[in-house]
Structures are given as structure tokens and as C-alpha cells.
Amino acid sequence: MEFLRLSQERRKRRLRIEELILLALRCLMVACIVLAFARPVLRALGIPLLSANARVYAVLVLDASRSMGHQTNDGKTSFQHAQEAAETLLTKVLRPGDAVSLVILSDKPEDSVSAPSFDLPLLRQKIRTLRPTSRGTDYYEAARSVNRLLHDSRTPAKEVYWITDDQTGAWETSKRDSAKSVWQ
């Protein structure tokens, strides 16, 4: 009986150590996932990360469709709010040395800045001068344009910022089966 009890105690200790290692691995996995999703927010707050100095290629998709010209309760148009959001991205989230392309979203998206630009102040000026168009919105075509830009970039860290009022009609072309591969 003495040998069985000793064997059982050793087995208990070994199981406890294995469970602690497994718990630590699970906690590390959750922390990595949280940090991966929080990276743009942490960059905006100026919190240094391991990849804080890594160059980022960002594609900024700015909706300039007809619906963005409607006024909101505060007297500004949706497009003015979108311009402010883009300004915040270019000043507080993206850093000097990050490359940015700009896609103007409408039913025929326009790669306003298709080659990656490192001149963030010039992009801010370009966004300030934009005005909403009288066109509709087609998310599928814009997603195709974004995919092309991302595919052409060799930068490993890529981010897409999609600023829109999210009109229902813009999703119509994305419901086709051929659109699934573009969104994936």
C-alpha cells in the first residue's frame, strides 16, 4: 500500500505541473489574440509594442457616395465626419514611414493614391479637398481594388481602414458567389 500511495502522489504532482503549463499556454494564447486585435488602438495611444517600429501598408477606403452628403444631427455631413476620421488615422494611428493608398468609394471606385505614399501630410490635404459625388456605392468593386493594392504590396504588415455610412444597397453586388473569394 505504501508504494501505491507514493506512486499516486508522484502522479498527482506531475499532473498538477502539466495542468499549470497548459493553463499558462492558454492564457498566453488569449493575450496574443487580444494584442493582435488591439494593435491599431494601441498604436494610436502611443503604447510601444514589439512591432511598433514595423512599417505598415494601409489602404484607406473613403466613401464619397451620394449618401455621404446628408447632414447629421450636429449639422455636419457624414462625409465631413469621414474626413475627420481619416484625418485622425493619418495623424494619430499611422506613423511617419508608413505607406498609405487611398481608394475613393463609389459605384466605380477610384484609386486616388494607388502607389503607396509615405507623404501623410499630402494625403491629409488631398482628403480635405475631396467632396461627395452624386454616385452610388459598390463595396464589391472597392474590395477588388483593395485586394489588388494589397497584393501588389510587399510590406508584411497590412491594414485596411474602411470609412463609410454603410448603405444597404452597397452590398448588392457582394451577394454574388464570385464575390466570396474577394472578401476572403
Side-chain angles (χ1 to χ4, degrees), residues 15-27:
L15 282 174
R16 182 169 291 161
I17 291 171
E18 287 175 1
E19 287 175 354
L20 287 174
I21 291 171
L22 188 59
L23 175 66
L25 287 173
R26 287 178 178 161
C27 289

Side-chain angles (χ1 to χ4, degrees), residues 51-67:
S51 64
N53 294 328
R55 301 288 184 235
V56 171
Y57 173 55
V59 178
L60 178 57
V61 182
L62 186 63
D63 191 349
S65 63
R66 177 178 48 250
S67 63

